[in-house]
Every structure is written in C-alpha cells, then in structure tokens.
Amino acid sequence: MADMLSNLPHPLCSRAVYSINEACKIANLSRATMWREIEAGNINRVLYGRRARIMRTELVSYLERKPFQVELPKDHDPEARLNKALKMAG
C-alpha cells in the first residue's frame, strides 16, 4: 500500500526511518517546530542509542492529520488593504 510520501521525487521519501533533520526537510518544518511537535506528543520518536529518529509511518500519519496553517501578519487587515488599493486606483 502506497503512502503519500511514495509519490514524491525526493530521494529521502523512500526511507523507512528518518533523522530529525531529514524529517524536517520532508515535513517543511524547522527543527524547533519539529521538537515542539515531538514534545507535545504529536509526533512519536524512537531512539537508536542516543539518536532520535522518526519512523516513516509516524511522519506520514502526522502529515495526514495535521492541518497546515498559514500565519498572517498581526497587522493583516484585508479590508484596509482593499480600501487603500481603491484609493490609489482613482
């Protein structure tokens, strides 16, 4: 059964276990965010000796259930931007 990473062209996507850095690249997360997600229990890690690893199945599960959010700037006001654009247009 193919998962969502199987169709990606990136060579890392065919692996069964990822380092934290590799998982960050695939999930497009910073290391800090990845560790926050691990500490929050949203991503399970396994230890190989003292090295943390993320299983492929765990990463796929996280990516499938995690809604991706876009953070807008605090001063984001679409109505004000529209009004400004209308004033500039004439």
Side-chain angles (χ1 to χ4, degrees), residues 14-75:
S14 62
R15 308 252 313 269
V17 180
Y18 302 108
S19 69
I20 298 298
N21 286 339
E22 292 168 339
C24 288
K25 287 178 187 175
I26 292 170
N28 196 28
L29 298 174
S30 68
R31 282 182 56 85
T33 300
M34 179 65 75
W35 279 108
R36 276 195 300 273
E37 291 297 304
I38 291 169
E39 290 168 2
N42 296 326
I43 300 175
N44 293 317
R45 64 167 166 78
V46 293
L47 293 176
Y48 287 99
R50 292 176 25 190
R51 295 177 184 248
R53 297 288 186 250
I54 307 292
M55 301 297 292
R56 174 195 185 99
T57 54
E58 182 63 27
L59 188 58
V60 169
S61 173
Y62 170 78
L63 292 173
E64 288 177 341
R65 72 178 183 268
K66 188 70 177 177
F68 290 93
Q69 299 174 352
V70 176
E71 288 191 27
L72 298 173
K74 293 187 186 316
D75 63 347

